[in-house]
Amino acid sequence: MGKNPELSRLQVGKGSRQTAYSVAKNHSASSIPITVDSSVPQTVRKIKVREPLPPGEYVVMLANSNRGFLFAVR
């Protein structure tokens, strides 16, 4: 796979979800620090957050990808 995942909090409003992206830093402006566990097979990405996530909606994306895994914390 070779691409590191990125976790970002989404801004939710009126039927849409979005994240601010920093072109200068080449990642989401709302990126949340994570660690990627390399002890799993290469086709799997196991990520851990450094601190508990507050309630909200989030997305996990691979670098330079337009697809992601959406989830919510309640």
Side-chain angles (χ1 to χ4, degrees):
M1 284 176 114
K3 297 178 180 179
N4 287 327
E6 183 176 326
L7 173 64
S8 298
R9 187 166 185 169
L10 295 171
Q11 299 168 354
V12 180
K14 295 189 180 184
S16 70
R17 293 172 180 86
Q18 60 185 6
T19 184
Y21 189 80
S22 172
V23 176
K25 294 181 180 180
N26 198 28
H27 66 79
S28 169
S30 59
S31 183
I32 297 169
I34 59 172
T35 56
V36 180
D37 186 345
S38 60
S39 68
V40 295
Q42 201 172 18
T43 57
V44 175
R45 292 292 184 259
K46 181 178 180 182
I47 64 170
K48 297 178 184 179
V49 292
R50 296 180 185 166
E51 297 181 15
L53 297 174
E57 294 192 28
Y58 298 86
V59 63
V60 176
M61 295 184 72
L62 291 179
N64 301 319
S65 174
N66 61 356
R67 292 185 173 185
F69 173 75
L70 300 169
F71 68 96
V73 175
R74 305 227 187 272

